[in-house]
Amino acid sequence: MKYILLSLFTFSFFQLFAQQKKSLTHDVYDGWKSVSERAISNNGKFVVYTINPQEGDGTLFVHNLKANSKVSFERGYAAIISQDNEFVFFKIKPKFQDTRQSKIKKKKPEEMTKDSLGIYFVAKDSVAKYPLVKSFKTPEKAGGWFAYLAEKPLPDTTKKKVAIDSLKMKIDGLVKLSDSIIRKSLDSVKGKIAKEALIIATQKTANEIYKAANDLSIADAEGDDKSDPKTQEGTDLTIRNTITGKDKNFKLVSEYLFDKKGTKLLIKTTKNAKDSNSKAFVIVYDLVKNDVDTLMRKFNDAKNFTFDEDGMQVSFVAERDSSTKALQKFYKLWYVKNTKDSAVLLADRNTKGISYGLTVSENANIKFSKDGKKLFFGIAPIVPAKDTNLVDFELARLDVWNYKDDYLQPQQLKQLQQELKRSYTSVMEIGKANVIQLGTDSTENIVLVNEGNADYVLASSDKGNRVQSQWEGRTLTNAYIIKTNDGSRKLIAKNSHGRFVPSPQGNYIYWYDEVKKNYFTYNVANADIKNITDKIRVPLYDTENDVPDYANAAGITGWTAGDKYFLLNDEYDIWKVNPDAIELPINLTNSFGRRNKITFDYVKTDPEKRFIDADEKILLRSLNKIDKHGGIFTVKVNEVKTPEILTQGSFTIPNVLKAKDAMQYLFTSASINASELYSSENFVNNTQLSNVATQQNDYNWLTAELMRWKMFDGKMSEGILYKPENFDPTKKYPIIFYFYERNTDGLFTYKAPAPSASTVNIPYFVSNGYLVFDPNIYYKTGEPGQSAYNSVVSAAKMLSKMPWVDSTRMAIQGQSWGGYQVAYLVTRTNIFRAAGAGAPVSNMTSAYGGIRWGTGLNRQFQYEKTQSRIGATLWQRPDLYIKNSPLFAVDKIKTPLLLMHNDADGSVPWYQGIEMFTAMRRLNKPVWLLQYNDEDHNLVERKNRKDLSIRLAQFFDFWLKDAKPAEWMKNGLPATKKGISWGLDIVQ
């Protein structure tokens, strides 16, 4: 009996403690913090991450994993760890309040406070800062160097600060070099005590020198900017050797680029605006030899610079022949074989292989093959010069729509700049003088194979099949291989649903055929096409697909070395398949996933690695489809056995990073209670690095639980119930149903309180005494509205029987597709006391032929093939379009409805919201429409998100909690008060 009393006391104590916590308010949003950027050093000894508020000044942390210690840098971001693990380079934002004040004063962009550069020397725990930095770069695959470009010429005080910091870096370099000297000298010192004395003396001397340099440092020069903001394009570039601390400076620099291995730095300078005789240059600074060589001078423009893998070859395009006012300019392709040589002309519009009417493109990327033997670039049609005799205000302005056009005019206009810059991939073999054109109008999409080393490229095009994308939502594709030595092409497949991809070594092309529901390979050597998965007897696609279209493939894991095996996924497990179909497929995970209803996804820990080693042990991210637990497993590619569990539980691990040269991982583990950063060698013994969840300790937080029930059609469904931390089963709670499609796999997703882009913020409402329920919705073709009714209303009926649910105070809210379902439901049931619908389609008959203005796409495919799930044209089944349209049953609505539909909505035409509003208004039904000016489908501007959050709370508090109405609800907000009042005050 005493144990029962003790338990009751303990329960009551924690209930009382939870009840004393505060409810979340709209004021918490700005300061609510989360872990953002993250990186791990190559040696796995330290990690870098940021913790940022939603609005305000964040902090960059460098965390020593061995010592479990960390240093922090206010407002640090965009951090890069040097390849030699010695330095962390990062930018430092201006103070948030300084930037805010500048905006208030309406300063021009060039007058705003600028970023600084921070450099943290890991071994010495020291930092140097450089103000007014536009950009910085480090070599991709080497340490020892960095370069930074100033925003503008530096003031004298700033130059002094930079000089002192340079001295500190030099001393750091000397200290680093002394390590090796000490080690060598130790060999000549006899005795342990003598050695220790030498070490102590040397370190003491170095530290004293370093301290002296530190004492010389003047005040932090961030924001120390009294120079004229009106400067020319080129500014000061500083290159620093991080070992010696020595600098080299270049003036009037506009562009710079390290080669991958950190042996060269290419620099483009500009003309001096104050000197009419000055010239622009393209130069290369040899970092090893400390030499500077000029590649080109006397040009109007040069761009798209690229090194080969070894830093020995350079290519770029430049225009140097026309006047600055010329209406038509022709770029040429330039090449440098040895970076000590001047650039030579490699190709122009007159080069053999470039057809009449085409020229070298200034917009295409330039790329050497990995082996340096080929150079890929672009050619493009010559654009006619603009007729300057035409007067703009006398010219007609219109768009002509033609039924034979590949794309509708709105889509053409959205893609206009892309099309104007379109180029056709071409190639030149180094040492040969002719151009091989690979891309054409019928092979415009070119993929380099084996990093350009293969003797062919993969080409694809949907030319001739684009019109039907209007109603299909996809196009059929033709795929080819094109030889790089002569441009000859060979057809792989015609009018296919597949997406064609080359294997890493280029021995095969593979694709998934959604019609045949199998994977196919094309053997490049013998042109054989094989169905490589027809022996697999389980589905390789999404069996829960419920749109009237082909199901998507379950996904792939990758290829093993030498293209020997292809690893692909079924719904649960991973298979190892021979690409020539000469071996039976092997279930690598031994059907463990299917038996336990666990899905596996490959975790790629090395982003540069293109294949999986034959005996590699790979990481797999898991999701249990029954209890939604997440985890990490591992399996060896050359073994068939049950995967080894490293960790599994009531959490999710959305991202994993691994140190390049060490068995050390950096990952996020999230649940409804926290989303924190961890490090680990094995996912078993984990070290928590962040602790941002402490910010919610004073607030009434939320819990999440999975619930299952039987829908009206007799099938089972599931949903997530969010309850307050201080939930009291003896009370009755108002409840809001929020839904979209199926969200229960996200049971353990952390939800931060944040201003709403379009939907109810679940933590806010739950903390303020609501329950929120998110039910899965399962659809039947032709019945999207009724499917929502079957799922949502059955869930409402189930929960209304719970003693802690106030069945008289239930509401629904959704956005976009969820908004449509809300609008439909209020025409079919009156059990909800209030409803909120964001960007809803109210009339499928008018929306069917409308335009998604964000992309220019027509909306027909949505109804026939995808989300809207009608599965027929308007003229085939007009009854289904009318039946599923809320507008045609507006007279049945008795539920107060809050609409949000913004006038720059690029997904759902905003007249859909107007149709719903005006119909309800005519019938004198309670309805409000929030129209945020110049806003898209979901709100982007934070000020508008904050406003919507307040209005959603006021709306639901009024209808579900009997709160007093806000001015905008009771009396509206006349246009005469726009910008003066927002109507948020409560009417007493």
Side-chain angles (χ1 to χ4, degrees):
M1 185 67 176
K2 63 180 181 181
Y3 295 111
I4 296 174
L5 291 174
L6 179 62
S7 298
L8 288 173
F9 172 78
T10 303
F11 174 77
S12 299
F13 173 79
F14 283 110
Q15 280 290 98
L16 179 63
F17 179 73
Q19 289 169 0
Q20 291 175 342
K21 291 187 174 184
K22 299 180 291 186
S23 296
L24 291 167
T25 67
H26 301 298
D27 295 329
V28 307
Y29 301 145
D30 288 351
W32 204 265
K33 298 176 181 178
S34 62
V35 180
S36 301
E37 305 167 28
R38 62 211 75 193
I40 186 167
S41 62
N42 287 341
N43 61 10
K45 292 183 178 181
F46 65 94
V47 299
V48 175
Y49 56 93
T50 58
I51 294 180
N52 295 319
Q54 293 178 22
E55 188 172 278
D57 297 326
T59 305
L60 173 74
F61 293 92
V62 180
H63 198 126
N64 184 314
L65 298 180
K66 185 175 181 179
N68 196 23
S69 62
K70 57 187 174 184
V71 293
S72 62
F73 305 100
E74 293 185 2
R75 306 187 308 283
Y77 77 107
I80 294 177
I81 302 174
S82 64
Q83 290 293 305
D84 57 10
N85 308 296
E86 296 288 344
F87 296 90
V88 177
F89 305 94
F90 56 95
K91 279 192 169 185
I92 304 171
K93 293 180 181 179
K95 292 179 180 179
F96 176 81
Q97 285 301 328
D98 290 347
T99 301
R100 182 175 180 271
Q101 286 300 315
S102 295
K103 291 179 179 178
I104 291 173
K105 295 176 181 178
K106 297 182 179 180
K107 288 188 176 182
K108 297 177 181 179
E110 62 269 19
E111 297 173 330
M112 303 283 278
T113 307
K114 305 300 181 182
D115 284 352
S116 299
L117 171 65
I119 305 172
Y120 177 63
F121 191 172
V122 178
K124 290 298 175 182
D125 189 25
S126 63
V127 65
K129 296 179 181 179
Y130 306 94
L132 306 175
V133 173
K134 181 184 294 184
S135 66
F136 74 92
K137 293 180 181 179
T138 62
E140 182 181 334
K141 296 183 178 181
W145 296 93
F146 73 93
Y148 64 92
L149 188 65
E151 282 280 358
K152 58 195 72 177
L154 301 177
D156 290 340
T157 55
T158 301
K159 289 178 180 178
K160 183 178 178 183
K161 170 71 166 64
V162 171
I164 292 174
D165 280 337
S166 176
L167 172 62
K168 290 164 61 179
M169 291 291 288
K170 288 177 182 177
I171 294 173
D172 283 336
L174 291 172
V175 172
K176 184 180 176 184
L177 284 175
S178 71
D179 289 343
S180 61
I181 298 173
I182 291 172
R183 292 191 188 96
K184 291 178 181 178
S185 63
L186 283 175
D187 294 336
S188 62
V189 178
K190 305 296 183 181
K192 181 179 178 181
I193 296 176
K195 288 184 178 182
E196 290 178 350
L198 176 60
I199 292 173
I200 292 170
T202 307
Q203 289 180 341
K204 183 179 179 181
T205 302
N207 288 334
E208 287 176 353
I209 295 171
Y210 185 78
K211 184 177 183 301
N214 253 328
D215 292 341
L216 287 172
S217 180
I218 62 175
D220 192 337
E222 290 177 52
D224 180 15
D225 178 14
K226 296 180 173 61
S227 62
D228 183 2
K230 298 178 182 178
T231 58
Q232 58 189 44
E233 180 187 356
T235 60
D236 299 342
L237 178 72
T238 301
I239 303 104
R240 175 160 299 162
N241 185 310
T242 60
I243 297 174
T244 65
K246 291 183 178 179
D247 290 347
K248 193 167 186 69
N249 299 292
F250 293 89
K251 299 291 185 181
L252 303 175
V253 175
S254 62
E255 195 171 344
Y256 61 109
L257 175 70
F258 280 106
D259 74 310
K260 286 185 178 181
K261 297 181 179 180
T263 63
K264 311 284 194 316
L265 181 69
L266 184 144
I267 300 168
K268 185 180 92 171
T269 68
T270 62
K271 296 179 181 179
N272 189 333
K274 298 178 181 179
D275 182 0
S276 59
N277 295 319
S278 69
K279 299 178 179 63
F281 293 88
V282 176
I283 60 178
V284 164
Y285 174 39
D286 190 311
L287 302 172
V288 178
K289 299 178 180 179
N290 194 28
D291 287 340
V292 177
D293 294 294
T294 301
L295 306 186
M296 177 177 281
R297 67 187 73 197
K298 297 182 180 179
F299 57 86
N300 297 314
D301 188 26
K303 60 174 68 173
N304 303 344
F305 302 99
T306 186
F307 281 101
D308 70 349
E309 190 72 14
D310 296 323
M312 297 304 296
Q313 300 179 95
V314 176
S315 187
F316 57 95
V317 295
E319 189 279 312
R320 63 191 311 190
D321 299 325
S322 61
S323 68
T324 56
K325 296 182 179 180
L327 297 174
Q328 199 172 29
K329 298 182 179 181
F330 295 98
Y331 283 76
K332 299 175 182 179
L333 182 68
W334 298 86
Y335 169 76
V336 182
K337 184 175 182 180
N338 185 312
T339 52
K340 292 184 70 67
D341 300 330
S342 296
V344 297
L345 177 63
L346 198 62
D348 63 10
R349 56 180 169 153
N350 299 313
T351 300
K352 181 181 178 182
I354 297 184
S355 301
Y356 179 77
L358 299 175
T359 188
V360 172
S361 172
E362 73 271 29
N363 299 308
N365 291 328
I366 302 172
K367 185 177 179 64
F368 285 97
S369 59
K370 180 92 170 187
D371 59 15
K373 295 179 179 179
K374 285 175 285 191
L375 181 64
F376 296 89
F377 61 101
I379 60 176
I382 296 172
V383 179
K386 184 178 179 181
D387 188 346
T388 56
N389 294 317
L390 299 176
V391 182
D392 284 346
F393 67 80
E394 294 179 345
L395 302 176
R397 296 180 61 85
L398 80 164
D399 303 319
V400 178
W401 299 41
N402 188 303
Y403 73 101
K404 293 182 180 180
D405 288 344
D406 274 359
Y407 302 112
L408 291 173
Q409 277 290 318
Q411 187 176 356
Q412 290 185 46
L413 293 171
K414 281 292 179 181
Q415 298 172 178
L416 179 60
Q417 291 305 311
Q418 175 185 332
E419 289 300 322
L420 290 174
K421 295 179 180 180
R422 180 178 291 281
S423 60
Y424 302 123
T425 301
S426 302
V427 64
M428 294 186 77
E429 291 187 36
I430 304 300
K432 295 186 178 180
N434 62 310
V435 174
I436 304 298
Q437 182 177 337
L438 305 172
T440 65
D441 277 338
S442 60
T443 55
E444 69 270 33
N445 302 313
I446 300 293
V447 176
L448 303 190
V449 180
N450 193 17
E451 300 181 286
N453 289 350
D455 63 0
Y456 74 95
V457 294
L458 173 62
S460 63
S461 177
D462 57 3
K463 184 84 170 181
N465 295 322
R466 293 170 182 159
V467 173
Q468 55 263 44
S469 66
Q470 177 178 320
W471 55 90
E472 292 282 346
R474 66 174 77 221
T475 55
L476 298 176
T477 299
N478 301 323
Y480 308 84
I481 60 172
I482 301 178
K483 290 290 186 178
T484 57
N485 62 344
D486 60 8
S488 61
R489 67 170 67 175
K490 184 182 293 185
L491 180 69
I492 298 173
K494 189 174 181 62
N495 294 334
S496 170
H497 283 282
R499 188 176 72 86
F500 297 84
V501 184
S503 61
Q505 292 295 116
N507 296 314
Y508 302 92
I509 306 296
Y510 68 93
W511 66 96
Y512 178 77
D513 190 310
E514 293 177 332
V515 179
K516 298 178 180 177
K517 299 179 180 178
N518 274 287
Y519 284 91
F520 292 79
T521 58
Y522 173 90
N523 187 312
V524 176
N526 57 28
D528 281 349
I529 294 178
K530 298 288 187 182
N531 183 334
I532 61 172
T533 55
D534 59 346
K535 299 296 191 297
I536 298 177
R537 301 305 180 191
V538 296
L540 301 174
Y541 52 87
D542 177 16
T543 59
E544 293 186 352
N545 173 63
D546 59 8
V547 299
D549 200 3
Y550 304 116
N552 293 326
I556 67 167
T557 291
W559 287 76
T560 62
D563 294 347
K564 187 173 182 181
Y565 291 105
F566 181 37
L567 307 183
L568 54 89
N569 300 25
D570 68 24
E571 281 185 292
Y572 298 101
D573 291 293
I574 297 175
W575 294 77
K576 185 163 72 171
V577 181
N578 180 276
D580 288 312
I582 58 177
E583 301 174 26
L584 288 175
I586 297 172
N587 191 309
L588 196 62
T589 47
N590 203 25
S591 299
F592 177 84
R594 184 167 295 276
R595 287 196 307 272
N596 295 278
K597 296 295 182 284
I598 294 175
T599 65
F600 289 119
D601 290 306
Y602 171 54
V603 179
K604 188 173 184 179
T605 56
D606 185 348
E608 294 184 359
K609 193 171 181 180
R610 298 188 300 124
F611 54 81
I612 298 167
D613 294 331
D615 60 349
E616 187 175 341
K617 182 181 284 189
I618 61 175
L619 288 183
L620 303 175
R621 182 183 292 106
S622 68
L623 172 67
N624 188 306
K625 298 291 284 186
I626 304 301
D627 60 19
K628 313 304 178 184
H629 283 188
I632 297 291
F633 286 65
T634 187
V635 66
K636 286 197 74 173
V637 175
N638 61 351
E639 294 179 354
V640 177
K641 60 186 299 185
T642 298
E644 176 187 353
I645 300 176
L646 298 183
T647 184
Q648 190 177 33
S650 54
F651 51 78
T652 180
I653 299 179
N655 52 66
V656 177
L657 298 177
K658 180 185 174 297
K660 185 177 181 180
D661 304 319
M663 192 58 68
Q664 189 72 45
Y665 297 97
L666 179 66
F667 63 94
T668 301
S669 180
S671 69
I672 194 65
N673 293 314
S675 178
E676 304 288 6
L677 197 63
Y678 291 81
S679 68
S680 179
E681 295 179 357
N682 52 17
F683 293 95
V684 178
N685 301 313
N686 305 326
T687 300
Q688 183 174 334
L689 305 180
S690 64
N691 196 18
V692 292
T694 55
Q695 67 192 325
Q696 65 207 37
N697 288 348
D698 295 335
Y699 295 98
N700 182 26
W701 197 239
L702 70 161
T703 64
E705 61 185 79
L706 195 64
M707 297 192 71
R708 293 186 172 88
W709 74 98
K710 186 178 289 186
M711 297 183 293
F712 294 141
D713 63 2
K715 295 180 180 179
M716 294 299 296
S717 185
E718 58 186 17
I720 304 174
L721 177 64
Y722 297 97
K723 297 190 295 188
E725 182 182 3
N726 65 351
F727 175 76
D728 184 348
T730 65
K731 292 183 178 180
K732 284 188 175 293
Y733 291 85
I735 186 169
I736 299 174
F737 293 81
Y738 163 78
F739 42 86
Y740 190 77
E741 289 193 356
R742 293 198 290 269
N743 295 324
T744 53
D745 283 353
L747 176 65
F748 299 113
T749 300
Y750 179 77
K751 293 186 177 298
S756 172
S758 55
T759 64
V760 291
N761 181 257
I762 293 174
Y764 172 85
F765 278 94
V766 172
S767 183
N768 282 274
Y770 288 87
L771 304 177
V772 176
F773 191 68
D774 184 351
N776 278 1
I777 301 175
Y778 301 90
Y779 298 93
K780 296 178 181 177
T781 298
E783 300 180 8
Q786 190 60 30
S787 297
Y789 182 93
N790 180 46
S791 298
V792 178
V793 179
S794 66
K797 294 286 188 182
M798 177 269 294
L799 283 167
S800 67
K801 297 175 183 178
M802 301 297 175
W804 29 267
V805 171
D806 188 340
S807 62
T808 66
R809 296 174 185 273
M810 301 193 297
I812 50 177
Q813 199 276 334
Q815 161 72 9
S816 190
W817 181 240
Y820 155 72
Q821 292 170 107
V822 167
Y824 177 90
L825 288 174
V826 295
T827 69
R828 296 305 193 273
T829 180
N830 299 319
I831 67 170
F832 300 112
R833 193 165 181 173
V841 166
S842 60
N843 181 358
M844 289 190 174
T845 66
S846 59
Y848 172 74
I851 297 293
R852 294 177 64 97
W853 294 108
T855 59
L857 295 174
N858 183 253
R859 295 173 52 83
Q860 290 179 359
F861 72 91
Q862 292 181 231
Y863 297 88
E864 297 179 42
K865 294 293 184 181
T866 61
Q867 190 175 60
S868 298
R869 295 175 170 89
I870 297 298
T873 67
L874 178 60
W875 45 92
Q876 288 171 331
R877 293 299 305 271
D879 58 312
L880 294 180
Y881 285 83
I882 294 172
K883 173 186 174 182
N884 285 284
S885 295
L887 187 69
F888 295 99
V890 165
D891 59 320
K892 305 293 193 301
I893 296 177
K894 294 184 179 179
T895 307
L897 180 62
L898 173 63
L899 297 165
M900 182 192 79
H901 215 144
N902 306 319
D903 51 25
D905 194 319
S907 299
V908 177
W910 78 295
Y911 58 73
Q912 288 292 314
I914 295 173
E915 288 190 49
M916 191 75 179
F917 177 84
T918 54
M920 291 184 68
R921 179 176 184 267
R922 174 173 177 168
L923 295 171
N924 198 32
K925 296 181 181 295
V927 62
W928 296 259
L929 172 61
L930 304 178
Q931 172 206 332
Y932 289 92
N933 301 158
D934 301 317
E935 277 281 20
D936 205 337
H937 191 57
N938 293 288
L939 296 176
V940 175
E941 294 283 348
R942 188 171 177 83
K943 59 188 178 184
N944 292 332
R945 291 184 174 194
K946 290 180 178 179
D947 183 89
L948 175 62
S949 299
I950 295 170
R951 295 183 198 276
L952 283 172
Q954 290 178 337
F955 179 78
F956 286 118
D957 283 353
F958 175 76
W959 291 108
L960 272 63
K961 286 187 170 184
D962 297 328
K964 297 290 185 181
E967 181 72 22
W968 66 272
M969 291 179 63
K970 186 172 180 63
N971 300 317
L973 185 62
T976 54
K977 292 185 177 181
K978 184 174 180 178
I980 301 172
S981 170
W982 281 260
L984 294 173
D985 292 337
I986 301 300
V987 179
Q988 299 298 327

